[in-house]
Amino acid sequence: MNGDGYSDLVLTPGFDGGEVSVYLGSPQGLPLSPSWTLTDPSYPAVFRGEGFGLSVSIRGDANRDGFDDILVSQYRYHENLAFNPSVFCYLGKASGPSSRPDWAGRGNGISGSYGLNAAFCGDVNGDGDSEVLAADPASFPGSARLFHLGKQFPAPRIEHEPINFWNEGEPIVLDAAVTDHTDTVSRVEILHHSVYDSDFLPPIAMEGVEGDRYRGTIPGASVRAGLVYFIRATDNYGLAMRTLPIEVDLNPASAVTPRTLSFGVRVGAASGGKADRLLLSTTRPGPASVRLFDVQGRLAGTLLDTRNLENGMHVLSLSGATFLHASGVYFYRVDTADGTRSGRFVILH
């Protein structure tokens, strides 16, 4: 995998998913701890780990650089709160495999079995490149998709100076330089949401302005507390790359007041991707409760139970909830003077 002539080992987390661990061989054998770990690229981070690594293949060199590459399937991949099973390829190199996927083969968003099995299948069409075969056994009729990867690398490159501070209600103009080895970038867009909302807002197209420069504007109506955005670029092979999510802090002089808030609930995640807080915004004071349930519908515990919760933004810690001691899927139910909200999140230990 890193071209040193020693066999390497890749361990998968099994059916439920998690991290894929890479152990590099050496004259002394295999190390006791992973040389690298590959993590689920799902976004929002609360969904990371679901089904990632069910199937792994390492006997292929998709870009013909002399290094074996890693193929990882995920039958529960989420992006922008949409479910779409996928297969990811991480390119091997002397410094180790890429930390983020260099290629992704998407399912159709309908069949949940796409990617249950995926593997490099050799050079099918004689062009010198390894192809990838991804099975979808639950589709009707059962099917498989063949991908020709060799000419699709590398992914588009995005250069962007993050906007970390802005005034509430004022539109944000974003600029980015996007380049791709195919010389054809088919689409550049901004994806954004607030951590206090349950859904991403519609993508915003970035228009080419000069050479490889693109520009787009987040409307002022979206520039409010908890704003998160990232830029995604797609080339003419359908290969996409995106920036890391960027959080925008608001100028305190224009901070959101309680009367401008909307009722909403969202689970937030720390930089490591693990759910660690529940964010609640309310517009009216009154009684409020936040209860958590396990997958069997049993009450796991209560985060909040009060007769008089002030209107405003509230952050409830999940990391300090001792009753969330086991990894797994949990459900929340929030009851306030504004109404009721429910949803799910994942705890990983």
Side-chain angles (χ1 to χ4, degrees), residues 147-322:
F147 296 96
H148 304 279
L149 271 60
K151 297 179 177 59
Q152 300 188 32
F153 294 109
R157 179 174 178 175
I158 305 172
E159 294 182 3
H160 168 66
E161 189 68 29
I163 302 294
N164 299 112
F165 186 78
W166 207 255
N167 292 327
E168 183 206 356
E170 293 185 6
I172 300 177
V173 179
L174 302 180
D175 290 287
V178 182
T179 55
D180 187 70
H181 78 294
T182 65
D183 295 325
T184 303
V185 177
S186 64
R187 185 172 66 255
V188 182
E189 55 194 351
I190 303 167
L191 297 169
H192 69 297
H193 73 113
S194 168
V195 296
Y196 299 102
D197 293 334
S198 59
D199 296 310
F200 272 69
L201 297 167
I204 299 170
M206 298 185 73
E207 304 293 338
V209 291
E210 183 180 359
D212 60 1
R213 309 294 301 185
Y214 290 79
R215 178 170 295 167
T217 302
I218 299 177
S222 297
V223 183
R224 48 200 169 96
L227 174 64
V228 176
Y229 77 88
F230 60 82
I231 296 173
R232 180 171 62 189
T234 306
D235 67 13
N236 62 339
Y237 282 100
L239 182 61
M241 185 56 68
R242 68 188 183 199
T243 63
L244 292 174
I246 300 164
E247 296 187 21
V248 181
D249 290 329
L250 296 181
N251 187 333
S254 64
V256 176
T257 59
R259 65 177 179 276
T260 65
L261 290 176
S262 59
F263 175 43
V265 181
R266 187 168 184 83
V267 174
S271 58
K274 297 181 180 180
D276 68 347
R277 59 193 182 275
L278 186 143
L279 304 107
L280 167 65
S281 62
T282 57
T283 66
R284 295 188 294 172
S289 66
V290 178
R291 293 174 293 167
L292 307 181
F293 301 86
D294 62 21
V295 293
Q296 304 297 326
R298 297 172 298 197
L299 179 66
T302 300
L303 286 182
L304 177 70
D305 188 7
T306 178
R307 293 183 177 181
N308 187 20
L309 181 70
E310 294 295 326
N311 58 314
M313 297 181 184
H314 312 277
V315 180
L316 306 178
S317 173
L318 295 176
S319 57
T322 56

Side-chain angles (χ1 to χ4, degrees), residues 86-101:
S86 300
V87 177
F88 303 104
C89 184
Y90 298 79
L91 296 180
K93 46 185 176 289
S95 58
S98 307
S99 60
R100 296 171 63 84

